[in-house]
Amino acid sequence: MIVKKIVKPARDSADFASGIVRLHNSWIDASKRNRDKFHRREAVLITNPDNGQSIVRMAMGSNATPGLSRNAAALDYDAVDALGVGYNVYEGTALHLLVKRATPLDVFRHFWNHPDIGYRTAHQIAVVSLAMGLIGLGLGMVALF
């Protein structure tokens, strides 16, 4: 999907912690049967090809967001800032963003470098704990033999 316009999101998805991108309902498949469309709450990678910056957000339907056409997306201020598209983008500035399904590695990188310290720290502690658990498992297996 190519986004050519960004509109202001409704209040329910405008905060930083929600991590939502609102797309036109024609791009969303609630039944999870159509692979050509995004599923509700599916992680999507939004990339700005002009500068290479990208973000991960959860895809949601339009929720009657004013001005949300088929080639538009409703993104919060922090997402616009992270993509580096300029602060006047809500005024109708033409742009070109790519939206695609996020891979597990994209989601991992997003939470590893998340701007909110709570998300970032929890993710990093979980990864370190997993590594230490695997090391302990390996040492325990060696001790058995």
Side-chain angles (χ1 to χ4, degrees):
M1 173 186 172
I2 298 174
V3 173
K4 295 182 180 179
K5 180 183 174 188
I6 294 179
V7 298
K8 285 187 180 182
R11 287 190 171 267
D12 67 337
S13 57
D15 63 334
F16 170 71
S18 67
I20 292 175
V21 57
R22 294 266 181 203
L23 303 173
H24 191 267
N25 283 335
S26 63
W27 290 107
I28 302 296
D29 179 32
S31 66
K32 296 187 177 184
R33 292 185 199 133
N34 189 349
R35 289 297 296 166
D36 295 333
K37 295 182 178 183
F38 301 114
H39 307 286
R40 289 188 80 238
R41 300 261 181 215
E42 180 180 19
V44 294
L45 181 70
I46 304 169
T47 306
N48 183 355
D50 296 334
N51 58 17
Q53 295 178 350
S54 62
I55 58 168
V56 173
R57 290 288 190 261
M58 302 300 149
M60 294 291 283
S62 68
N63 191 29
T65 304
L68 192 61
S69 64
R70 185 158 165 74
N71 291 326
L75 286 171
D76 60 295
Y77 179 82
D78 294 308
V80 169
D81 184 43
L83 289 169
V85 293
Y87 304 116
N88 60 348
V89 73
Y90 293 124
E91 299 168 4
T93 305
L95 56 107
H96 181 82
L97 300 175
L98 302 176
V99 180
K100 66 176 187 171
R101 283 183 173 77
T103 65
L105 184 59
D106 293 331
V107 175
F108 178 84
R109 274 193 224 129
H110 171 70
F111 283 110
W112 187 263
N113 299 314
H114 200 281
D116 186 352
I117 194 166
Y119 289 105
R120 183 176 60 239
T121 304
H123 184 75
Q124 291 173 349
I125 288 173
V127 170
V128 169
S129 298
L130 175 67
M132 292 176 70
L134 291 174
I135 291 170
L137 177 68
L139 291 174
M141 296 298 278
V142 168
L144 286 175
F145 299 108

